[in-house]
Structures are given as structure tokens and as C-alpha cells.
Amino acid sequence: MAVSMRPVAQPDTWELRVFIGRDSLGKVKHRYVRFRGTRRQAQRELARLVIEQEDKPVSQIESELAWNSSTTIDDAIATCR
């Protein structure tokens, strides 16, 4: 699972990022969390967020494509990816 942790401008403040999946168009989605504490505490919080995300069921985001008489074969194939 893709994760990252980086310091922000305030002292002892971290931005934690966890990969949560992709939407129906294939765009990558992340969850961002600001955490205040030491580097070690931030690492523990990041590990907790990863475990929390792994326990969640994978959500299926519905396609934004409206099926009608003007839908092309390319549109249909793109939504199946």
C-alpha cells in the first residue's frame, strides 16, 4: 500500500497520506491527515491509518457515464477498465 509522511511548516506537524484506491476513471485517490506529535508518533498513526484502510471494504464508485443511444463502443470499453 502506498503511504507517505512529510513535515509541514508548523513544528512537530506531519502530513500523512494513504492510498485508498482508484475512481471509475482510474484516477488515484488518497486520504490526507494532518497529525501533531513527534516523528515516531506520526509513524505509529500512519501505521494505524494503513490498518484502518485495509479493514475497509473496497468501495465501488459508480461510473459517471449515462448510458443512452449516443453511447459509443469506446465509452463502454472505457468504463469496464
Side-chain angles (χ1 to χ4, degrees):
M1 176 170 286
V3 297
S4 69
M5 181 178 91
R6 68 181 183 137
V8 294
Q10 297 87 11
D12 288 333
T13 304
W14 305 87
E15 181 182 81
L16 310 177
R17 183 178 73 166
V18 179
F19 173 79
I20 59 174
R22 293 182 178 266
D23 65 9
S24 62
L25 301 175
K27 184 177 178 185
V28 175
K29 298 290 184 181
H30 290 96
R31 176 178 176 197
Y32 293 90
V33 175
R34 283 263 168 127
F35 180 80
R36 195 150 227 233
T38 64
R39 180 182 188 89
R40 181 66 183 141
Q41 290 170 330
Q43 290 171 339
R44 288 181 180 159
E45 179 65 13
L46 185 59
R48 188 190 67 74
L49 290 172
V50 168
I51 291 169
E52 181 181 293
Q53 183 60 37
E54 288 177 346
D55 289 343
K56 288 183 180 179
V58 177
S59 62
Q60 296 294 328
I61 300 172
E62 291 187 26
S63 173
E64 296 175 11
L65 178 65
W67 293 89
N68 56 33
S69 61
S70 66
T71 303
T72 65
I73 296 292
D74 290 337
D75 294 336
I77 292 171
T79 59
C80 294
R81 290 184 197 165

